[in-house]
């Protein structure tokens, strides 16, 4: 296992002057960094704290889905945020943070990266531009392979608000960094930075420690914009990078065509009965 270097990361983070990332805690293996950070937050933990694990035995995405990651290959971490925002502004934070993760990853590759509402960063792929696979795909994989997207990163935000206390947000983020292959039906649904063409400006000494610093810098930048101007200030960016714009999708049984993201962070879906705004749900391409 390629162990994460805490010393290298903290040196890079402090040189960058980032306000997120410390206190920092590293674990070779835990059940879930989100669970650890939530308990840390309840005990009065500080804004910006970051917990990272090289392996999570119970890492999860939305709706309890398991996040596959071989030990030491990828970034699996959680950040504690105390953004001092009204409760009504907490829901769109997943999208705000998604822009930060997307920007950091986009700087490392020439591939087109999009934000797939509500919480994924995906690669928009063209036919014939798929990474090579180690084995012949199954029928399920062949069907999934028709998707124009492959997942590169995901975000799971969890919030708590106690009476008379400030709300806190735990942002759990998983990024496929060095993975060369994925098991089973994930083979045609996921990708990693290692499988994508590198940008000319990407650092020759690219490491997980450097990438984590860049992600935290971008999270801080987008969070600041949101705190000072609301979603209206970043609405254009959300629609510019919207993976579902013009796509035929199904959201919890409701079929339609993606029409963008509104200024409340809701997915706009054009259906036979008119355009509807969806605040939550599971999106599937059709």
């Amino acid at each position: 296992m390629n162990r994460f270097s805490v010393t290298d990361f903290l040196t890079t983070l402090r040189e960058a002057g980032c306000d997120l990332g410390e206190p920092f805690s590293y674990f070779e293996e835990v059940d879930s960094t989100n669970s650890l950070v939530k308990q840390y937050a309840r005990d009065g933990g500080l804004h910006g704290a970051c917990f990272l694990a090289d392996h999570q035995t119970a890492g999860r995405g939305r709706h309890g889905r398991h996040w596959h990651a071989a030990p030491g290959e990828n970034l699996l971490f959680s950040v504690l945020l105390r953004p001092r925002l009204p409760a009504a502004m907490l829901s769109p934070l997943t999208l705000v943070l998604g822009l930060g993760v997307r920007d950091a990853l986009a700087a490392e590759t020439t591939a087109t990266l999009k934000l797939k509402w509500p919480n994924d960063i995906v690669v928009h792929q063209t036919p014939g531009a798929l990474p090579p696979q180690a084995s012949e795909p199954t029928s399920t994989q062949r069907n999934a392979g028709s998707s124009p997207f492959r997942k590169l990163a995901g975000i799971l935000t969890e919030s708590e608000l106690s009476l008379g206390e400030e709300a806190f947000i735990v942002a759990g983020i998983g990024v496929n960094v060095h993975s060369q292959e994925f098991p089973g039906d994930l083979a045609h649904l996921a990708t990693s930075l290692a499988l994508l063409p590198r940008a000319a400006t990407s650092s020759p000494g690219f490491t997980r420690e450097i990438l984590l610093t860049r992600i935290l810098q971008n999270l801080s930048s987008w969070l600041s914009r949101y705190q000072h101007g609301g979603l209206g200030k970043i609405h254009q960016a959300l629609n510019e990078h919207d993976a579902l714009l013009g796509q035929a999708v199904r959201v919890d049984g409701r079929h339609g065509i993606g029409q963008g993201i509104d200024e409340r962070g809701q997915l706009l879906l054009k259906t036979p009965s008119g355009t509807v705004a969806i605040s939550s749900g599971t999106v599937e391409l059709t």
Side-chain angles (χ1 to χ4, degrees):
M1 182 176 75
N2 182 23
R3 196 174 189 272
F4 188 89
S5 172
V6 176
T7 300
D8 288 352
F9 165 66
L10 289 177
T11 298
T12 304
L13 183 76
R14 289 165 184 169
E15 287 176 351
C18 185
D19 65 339
L20 298 180
E22 292 192 90
F24 182 76
S25 298
Y26 165 79
F27 306 87
E28 284 195 0
E29 181 177 287
V30 297
D31 54 355
S32 163
T33 54
N34 259 32
S35 297
L36 292 179
V37 174
K38 280 194 290 185
Q39 187 55 57
Y40 171 78
R42 293 174 191 134
D43 294 339
L46 299 175
H47 170 82
C50 180
F51 286 26
L52 177 142
D54 267 325
H55 184 56
Q56 294 189 56
T57 59
R60 64 195 189 279
R62 294 180 72 242
H63 308 299
R65 296 188 184 97
H66 177 68
W67 178 275
H68 167 79
E73 289 186 346
N74 305 314
L75 283 175
L76 307 169
F77 64 99
S78 299
V79 183
L80 173 60
L81 302 174
R82 297 187 183 275
R84 296 183 180 178
L85 291 169
M89 291 183 68
L90 296 180
S91 181
L93 267 179
T94 302
L95 292 170
V96 177
L97 300 177
L99 286 172
V101 176
R102 194 218 74 88
D103 279 6
L105 301 183
E108 303 297 334
T109 178
T110 58
T112 300
L113 305 190
K114 297 284 188 178
L115 184 60
K116 180 174 173 284
W117 186 94
N119 68 319
D120 288 340
I121 289 81
V122 297
V123 179
H124 186 267
Q125 59 197 15
T126 55
L130 305 180
Q133 300 300 322
S135 60
E136 182 66 20
T138 65
S139 58
T140 302
Q141 290 171 340
R142 282 192 290 270
N143 290 336
S146 62
S147 168
F149 308 120
R150 284 201 185 169
K151 184 171 178 175
L152 180 61
I155 302 168
L156 174 67
T157 56
E158 300 179 276
S159 63
E160 288 191 14
L161 176 62
S162 301
L163 186 63
E165 295 183 6
E166 200 174 80
F168 69 79
I169 303 288
V170 176
I173 299 172
V175 182
N176 296 327
V177 183
H178 294 305
S179 294
Q180 294 291 326
E181 58 183 26
F182 296 89
D185 291 340
L186 288 180
H188 286 256
L189 297 173
T191 191
S192 71
L193 279 177
L195 295 174
L196 299 177
R198 299 300 298 277
T201 55
S202 181
S203 169
F206 173 79
T207 65
R208 289 189 298 156
E209 292 80 4
I210 291 173
L211 182 61
L212 178 56
T213 297
R214 291 175 179 169
I215 290 173
L216 291 170
Q217 286 179 293
N218 278 276
L219 293 180
S220 177
S221 175
W222 281 104
L223 181 60
S224 177
R225 292 186 218 185
Y226 183 58
Q227 286 177 307
H228 290 96
L231 210 59
K233 288 288 185 182
I234 63 175
H235 186 241
Q236 181 178 345
L238 286 174
N239 282 289
E240 179 183 349
H241 301 301
D242 178 16
L244 300 178
L245 185 63
Q247 297 286 336
V249 300
R250 177 174 60 247
V251 185
D252 295 341
R254 195 177 264 175
H255 293 257
I257 305 295
Q259 298 293 294
I261 298 169
D262 70 12
E263 293 198 6
R264 297 177 62 189
Q266 299 175 117
L267 177 67
L268 297 176
L269 196 65
K270 184 179 181 181
T271 72
S273 58
T275 299
V276 297
I278 298 174
S279 58
S280 64
T282 300
V283 177
E284 301 171 278
L285 297 178
T286 59

